Amino acid sequence: MTYETIITETRGKVGLIILNRPKALNALNSQILAELVAAVNGFSADAGIGAMVITGSEKAFAAGADIKEMQSISYVDAYSQDFFVGWEEFTRVRKPIIAAVAGYALGGGCELAMMCDFIIAADNAKFGQPEITLGVIPGMGGSQRLTRFVGKSKAMDMCLTGRMMDAAEAERSGLVSRVVPAGELVEEALKAAAKIADFSLPSVMMAKEAVNRAFETTLAEGLRFERRLFHSLFALEDQKEGMAAFAEKRKPNFTNR
Ligand code: CO8
């Protein structure tokens, strides 16, 4: 499939998606949403792919939803079309997705990064939910996910003042998992994704599912869910292989079975 607003590449077992609307700082319009969802679904369906990386440019991961596309939309249209509901499809992807963020990740850009499984930030990254400056509020999960990542006080500060957080503050407050020099961002993210993609895919997918469950349920239910997944992994050949390889002091050869 050919895309106009993203570039896709395969690096070994990793699917790389580069947001590519440089003139609009990768603002997220309906075309980029549709192409991004198609790309992640394509990599999901590809048995040769074990993890994905989404990145933008050195200046902008994405500067938000496309304000020019949104500005004239009416309430009836927004409501009737359930504007941007397509992003929910993105969050249903079961293989891991790493956001590699350099430059601006604002509004929908910050929200897209938070929909990924974890964020690796370049040292020039800037995160923000500036929707309040436009007379609106976050609409792709910012008020909910940012609050879970950084807590109420910082989330309120960001959503009410619209101020940006730099990479150091984002790492300190738990929004990003690590910060790397901007020039090494994509390689570092690809390295992390390649490491994940070398593990047994069913256990990787279950690990993702288990961690995500922590956001959706009580501790008791989450623990029960984790234990049931854990039990089920003993049905895999890869569990036998992984543990045998440890005992035999060799590298495991996982087959995703
Ligand atoms: N939408 C559309 N175009 C954009 C956007 C955007 N979000 N951001 C930047 N652009 C465009 C600019 O208009 C400009 O285009 P042109 O050259 O044609 O004038 C080009 O990108 C370059 O931008 P700047 O000249 O402004 O670049 P600067 O380096 O001076 O500034 C900033 C960079 C600070 C990132 C600045 O561009 C900016 O403030 N952008 C807007 C940031 C913003 O407010 N983002 C939030 C958008 S709202 C949102 O995301 C809501 C999400 C939820 C919606 C869910 C609906 C259900």
Side-chain angles (χ1 to χ4, degrees), residues 163-182:
R163 82 167 172 91
M164 293 183 210
M165 207 188 246
D166 66 17
E169 185 181 3
E171 186 181 31
R172 214 167 47 237
S173 50
L175 178 58
V176 311
S177 70
R178 34 182 143 150
V179 178
V180 299

Side-chain angles (χ1 to χ4, degrees), residues 23-24 27 59 63-68 83-84 107-108 111 130-131 134 139:
K23 288 190 183 138
K59 176 159 187 193
D66 191 315
I67 300 167
K68 292 163 191 167
F83 193 49
F84 274 157
E111 292 168 306
E131 289 88 343
L134 301 167

Side-chain angles (χ1 to χ4, degrees), residues 50-53 93-98 117 196 201 204-205 208:
M52 293 168 240
V53 171
V93 173
R94 297 170 73 204
K95 290 179 182 173
I97 306 177
I98 300 173
D117 298 307
I196 295 168
L201 183 59
V204 163
M205 285 165 61
K208 168 169 173 163

Side-chain angles (χ1 to χ4, degrees), residues 21-28 59-60 62-70 78 82-85 87 104 106-111 128-131 133-134 136-141 164:
R21 289 189 74 208
K23 288 190 183 138
L25 300 184
N26 293 332
L28 304 167
K59 176 159 187 193
D66 191 315
I67 300 167
K68 292 163 191 167
E69 185 184 67
M70 269 187 307
D82 208 356
F83 193 49
F84 274 157
V85 69
W87 289 108
Y104 297 110
L106 303 178
C110 185
E111 292 168 306
Q129 297 291 161
E131 289 88 343
T133 67
L134 301 167
V136 291
I137 67 168
M140 282 161 50
M164 293 183 210

Side-chain angles (χ1 to χ4, degrees), residues 72-91:
S72 54
I73 200 165
S74 70
Y75 165 72
V76 172
D77 289 340
Y79 181 78
S80 310
Q81 298 162 16
D82 208 356
F83 193 49
F84 274 157
V85 69
W87 289 108
E88 281 176 16
E89 204 177 325
F90 182 87
T91 62

